[in-house]
Amino acid sequence: MQNVIFMGTPDYAQKILQRLIDTGDINVVAVYTQPDKPVGRKKVLTPPPVKTTAQEYNIPVYQPQKLRDEKTVEKLLTIPCDFIVVAAYGQILPRKVLDHAPCINLHASILPQYRGASPIQQTLLHGDKITGVTAMLMEEGLDTGDILKIETIAVDDDMMVEELFEQLTEIAAALTIDVLHNFNVYTPKKQNEAEATHCKKITKADGEVSFDNAQELYNKYRAFTPWPGIYLSSGLKLKKMKLESADEAHQDAGKIITIDKESIVVTCKQGSLRIYKVQPQSKKEMDVLSYINGKRVTLEDTLL
């Protein structure tokens, strides 16, 4: 029986935790997760998904504001374990914790690519054809540890972030069990620092788009739906679309060049997009035909 301390916070981590719990020869002895946070307009204090799952199985839960706090570290060091498994926890582990047991991190990219907070979104933003999950030994740097194993998958041109998230989560859960069971088999491999790239936390402002490049705008739509969503400087949100053309050059950006029964085609300076649904400011989502009819715009007019 392997005793494991688990550290994680969002849905991605919760599903890995569930897989650990369901595996007969792994005993999760403690869970560390971020503090409860206010959610929604009413700011209801809500526990992270990892906490909810841990409590269902009566696993002790710790939610320190700062893992580096001396008392927090001292308490953790009193918990005997064979491994510490970390998945989207959101805090850097101090040296004393790293020395307590082998710390295995499951990062949703092919490291050293996309170290940081938003690897799944970055895969779509860059139009990558392949991505994966890296199991690595943690050190004090951000996603810089030695690689134990990488599992990869193909990324379809129209894959949205939620679908990619689900696939990578399943891979991460299986990879966690594999690495724990075969830890002594894998030889840790140094990352190539020359190939390292980094990504930041996504913010609401990242969702603003313009009709410059159709492929780039479509990739933002794939990466940022449902959150933070994509929107024009006018505040109009683009809710459903597909890439019509990536190569054609157009003189006028945002011009409506096609109207059919359920969609319109709008030009970008490079390429064009077919739009099905939009959401004006302070209104509900609607089909794009109702929107342009309400605005009294038609062929050759602009959506801007």
Side-chain angles (χ1 to χ4, degrees), residues 241-278:
M241 65 169 59
K242 72 176 183 179
L243 183 67
E244 186 77 6
S245 163
D247 301 323
E248 264 186 288
H250 298 279
Q251 197 168 18
D252 299 318
K255 180 184 285 187
I256 300 170
I257 57 172
T258 301
I259 299 176
D260 62 25
K261 292 181 179 179
E262 59 177 3
S263 64
I264 64 174
V265 175
V266 177
T267 61
C268 296
K269 291 178 182 177
Q270 189 72 32
S272 58
L273 296 157
R274 184 173 293 275
I275 301 173
Y276 296 86
K277 292 183 180 295
V278 297

Side-chain angles (χ1 to χ4, degrees), residues 185-199:
V185 175
Y186 296 125
T187 301
K189 180 182 176 182
K190 293 287 183 185
Q191 295 188 36
N192 184 346
E193 288 298 319
E195 297 178 353
T197 59
H198 299 79
C199 54

Side-chain angles (χ1 to χ4, degrees), residues 225-241:
T225 300
W227 193 90
I230 59 170
Y231 58 92
L232 302 171
S233 58
S234 64
L236 179 67
K237 296 179 181 178
L238 307 179
K239 302 294 285 189
K240 184 181 178 184
M241 65 169 59

Side-chain angles (χ1 to χ4, degrees), residues 60-88:
V61 176
Y62 302 91
Q63 296 177 275
Q65 289 285 350
K66 293 183 179 180
L67 189 64
R68 291 179 176 274
D69 179 77
E70 187 175 340
K71 289 184 178 180
T72 297
V73 172
E74 287 176 1
K75 174 59 183 177
L76 189 150
L77 297 181
T78 67
I79 305 172
C81 68
D82 300 299
F83 296 96
I84 297 174
V85 174
V86 183

Side-chain angles (χ1 to χ4, degrees), residues 124-127 129 157-158 212-222 241 243-247 268 270-273:
L124 299 177
L125 289 172
H126 289 88
K129 303 299 183 184
D157 291 341
D158 292 327
D212 288 333
N213 184 294
Q215 182 68 68
E216 291 178 4
L217 195 159
Y218 185 62
N219 286 345
K220 276 197 169 188
Y221 165 71
R222 296 166 63 206
M241 65 169 59
L243 183 67
E244 186 77 6
S245 163
D247 301 323
C268 296
Q270 189 72 32
S272 58
L273 296 157

